[in-house]
Amino acid sequence: MDSRRLLRTSATALAAAGLILSGCSTSGSGAAAPSHSASASPSGTSRPGPARSGPPAASPEELKAYYGQKVAWRDCGVPGFQCGTVRVPLDYAKPDGERVDLAVSRVRATGPGKRLGSLLVNPGGPGGSAVGYLQGYAGIGYPAPVRARYDIVGVDPRGVARSEPVECLTGPQMDAYTQVDVTPDSPAEQTALRSSYQRFAAACEKRSAKVLPHVSTVEAARDMDVVRAVLGDEKLTYVGASYGTFLGATYAELFPERTGRLVLDGAMDPSLTAEQLNREQTAGFETAINAFAADCVKQADCPLGTTSAPAALDALKRFFRAVDAKPVPTGESRPLGESLATTGVIAAMYDESAWPQLREALTRAMGGEGSALLALADSYYEREPDGTYANLMDANAAVNCLDLPPAFPGGPADVEKAVPSFEQASSVFGRNLAWAALNCTYWPTPATGRPHRITAEGAAPIVVVGTTRDPATPYKWARSLAAQLSSGTLLTYEGDGHTAYGRGSDCIDTAINTYLLEGTPPTDGKRCS
């Protein structure tokens, strides 16, 4: 994955309440309830996969101080939530060296019923703030029966938000970076794009040299095991969305004996290369834009016409070409060119509830006023009105470029060869997303991870959730991950949007709630709508 495309829950999904549609029954073999005890032990029997393990972790004795620490909980300034920090080694091979303080937040179980322990949540990204997700959605929007029985906990992974954040470009520099043409039509535009990625990488190295080699998913998963023990849980209970599914699967691979109830929603496939992931995600966005077009032509306010979905997509492509040639004014110093326009459209693909907003934004942009579509792009990049950015994009690149070798190690020549296959995956987004996958080519820190299958042999049942028309994590990835995991169970949502839990299907929510509360996973292959 690259620094312009995120495997994450959308801003609208973060704000939405986890409410429900119509009941589907669940069945399957019962799993033993995880035991939660304050005597949780350090990492003694972890089994890192050879392809992603990097440097070996220290022995349990060397990590004992980390596993035995206590959190000094304090008021967050957000009603109902507590905050604290958990200290972990910067480098697990050197536990006596530098350290990282992880930001942790929780909301206590509300009752009634016996407390089941802690439920860790992660919204994806990589680079999404779990603390922000907890306080803005999960801690108040997860189904009430789950919040009654679990302390809901968010931990910003290392390099993210409040946890030693990776920092790269300033706000004005990010403004310039997001406007660079990502569909170069000339050697000069190719050079400009390559230079923008090189400047981004150099800025990350200059401002974040200490943490940059140590933000891999393996290290974040090891951090989660420290947090699990510090919270007093013998096993990890976890809901991860999007990239959070890769984090959860990696945890299960490293610590199968400590894996409790894991829900991996909007799954990634860890066996794919970076090029394969980018191309298949491109196909996922094609599926989503086709669904949008089919819906748009039925609406009276569709700016792409009302004759047919293919005709609407042709109109959208003409619009992208038009703003590539002549950006549209937005009322501020950033005109709406093709890169920002494409990002705005992609942002609305994460949740079908954003489609009316996208129709309005496209109508205005096609009429010569691009502020509404620019606002969608800004929400995607987490740009504030004052021109500052969250570190989402910085962390996204840092983690992705460390987890996998670059998609195109040979540079622009490799991209040119791959463009036809990307355009076959998506006639709308293919060329853009092929060039967007170039960023890790210039990354200053070599990748420590490699693609490989994750089986997590010995782990308790793990529920993998896939949405059939998910734009960011194609449904085939959920099928693949569920098949790889020795204890994987596939739960399918037949619908649109990114991820499924808490997005309106009573069938999905009931199946996951039952698993979290009773330990009973849904029948493998269960389908919901």
Side-chain angles (χ1 to χ4, degrees):
M1 276 67 59
D2 60 85
S3 68
R4 294 175 189 249
R5 287 179 297 113
L6 308 175
L7 298 174
R8 64 182 177 96
T9 51
S10 67
T12 48
L14 296 187
L19 301 180
I20 304 182
L21 264 178
S22 156
C24 295
S25 63
T26 59
S27 60
S29 58
S35 170
H36 299 280
S37 162
S39 61
S41 58
S43 95
T45 56
S46 68
R47 301 190 301 188
R52 288 191 192 270
S53 60
S59 69
E61 190 62 30
E62 291 175 295
L63 295 171
K64 190 173 181 179
Y66 293 103
Y67 277 82
Q69 66 188 294
K70 304 295 182 185
V71 181
W73 294 105
R74 63 184 186 279
D75 182 74
C76 290
V78 180
F81 293 90
Q82 296 175 309
C83 289
T85 58
V86 173
R87 183 159 288 182
V88 294
L90 176 68
D91 184 345
Y92 273 88
K94 300 174 182 177
D96 293 330
E98 295 193 65
R99 300 173 180 181
V100 173
D101 286 335
L102 303 177
V104 183
S105 182
R106 73 177 179 184
V107 59
R108 303 304 300 269
T110 59
K114 181 181 178 182
R115 177 181 173 275
L116 294 175
S118 306
L119 170 61
L120 269 67
V121 296
N122 183 281
S129 170
V131 171
Y133 176 70
L134 171 79
Q135 296 176 358
Y137 169 56
I140 54 177
Y142 265 27
V146 173
R147 290 185 287 114
R149 306 288 298 281
Y150 285 101
D151 294 346
I152 314 295
V153 179
V155 184
D156 281 349
R158 54 174 61 209
V160 174
R162 302 162 180 84
S163 297
E164 192 78 40
V166 173
E167 295 180 339
C168 301
L169 301 177
T170 65
Q173 289 170 335
M174 273 297 294
D175 281 348
Y177 178 74
T178 59
Q179 293 179 73
V180 174
D181 191 346
V182 195
T183 57
D185 303 313
S186 68
E189 289 186 349
Q190 275 195 27
T191 298
L193 180 59
R194 183 179 69 246
S195 296
S196 75
Y197 289 138
Q198 291 170 331
R199 285 193 297 271
F200 184 93
C204 295
E205 184 176 32
K206 181 178 180 179
R207 299 183 67 188
S208 303
K210 183 184 82 171
V211 72
L212 213 59
H214 296 290
V215 294
S216 70
T217 298
V218 164
E219 289 161 307
R222 286 179 172 147
D223 292 346
M224 279 209 303
D225 196 57
V226 173
V227 173
R228 168 204 62 78
V230 169
L231 293 172
D233 298 314
E234 288 189 356
K235 294 192 176 184
L236 178 74
T237 304
Y238 173 82
V239 176
S242 199
Y243 160 80
T245 67
F246 178 42
L247 179 58
T250 300
Y251 180 91
E253 178 182 40
L254 291 168
F255 307 102
E257 73 287 352
R258 303 226 176 98
T259 297
R261 302 167 187 177
L262 263 61
V263 177
L264 308 181
D265 184 12
M268 285 182 61
D269 183 349
S271 71
L272 300 179
T273 67
E275 182 179 352
Q276 289 170 326
L277 283 166
N278 277 278
R279 184 166 48 241
E280 292 187 8
Q281 190 182 51
T282 298
F285 280 110
E286 180 75 2
T287 297
I289 197 65
N290 273 282
F292 167 75
D295 177 77
C296 187
V297 297
K298 299 174 184 176
Q299 312 300 327
D301 64 344
C302 180
L304 304 176
T306 57
T307 55
S308 69
L313 293 178
D314 286 341
L316 180 61
K317 287 184 279 189
R318 287 195 299 272
F319 166 70
F320 285 151
R321 289 194 295 270
V323 294
D324 185 27
K326 185 179 180 182
V328 174
T330 61
E332 57 175 280
S333 60
R334 295 177 300 143
L336 184 78
E338 183 184 14
S339 291
L340 286 171
T342 303
T343 301
V345 172
I346 283 176
M349 294 300 99
Y350 282 82
D351 190 334
E352 66 272 24
S353 68
W355 291 357
Q357 182 183 356
L358 177 58
R359 292 197 303 271
E360 179 183 356
L362 285 171
T363 298
R364 290 171 59 180
M366 289 176 169
E369 201 285 297
S371 62
L373 198 51
L374 178 64
L376 278 170
D378 284 351
S379 71
Y380 185 88
Y381 288 128
E382 294 196 357
R383 183 187 190 273
E384 298 297 330
D386 65 1
T388 61
Y389 288 75
N391 94 308
L392 175 65
M393 306 308 297
D394 302 338
N396 181 261
V399 176
N400 284 333
C401 296
L402 204 56
D403 276 348
L404 286 175
F408 301 121
D414 282 357
V415 182
E416 290 281 23
K417 293 175 185 175
V419 162
S421 67
F422 275 71
E423 290 184 323
Q424 184 175 2
S426 174
S427 64
V428 177
F429 302 120
R431 184 172 179 80
N432 182 302
L433 299 186
W435 282 101
L438 183 63
N439 73 314
C440 288
T441 301
Y442 309 105
W443 203 247
T445 305
T448 56
R450 295 293 183 274
H452 73 292
R453 294 172 62 84
I454 291 181
T455 61
E457 197 72 39
I462 298 172
V463 175
V464 179
V465 188
T467 297
T468 55
R469 294 185 295 279
D470 191 315
T473 52
Y475 176 63
K476 64 189 294 186
W477 292 358
R479 292 202 314 265
S480 179
L481 180 59
Q484 290 172 44
L485 292 167
S486 62
S487 59
T489 295
L490 179 63
L491 175 63
T492 297
Y493 174 58
E494 296 177 352
D496 297 292
H498 184 39
T499 73
Y501 186 44
R503 295 192 66 247
S505 170
D506 182 54
C507 175
I508 290 289
D509 289 357
T510 298
I512 292 174
N513 294 347
T514 299
Y515 171 63
L516 291 174
L517 296 173
E518 301 175 14
T520 305
T523 303
D524 187 28
K526 179 179 179 62
R527 302 183 75 88
C528 296
S529 59

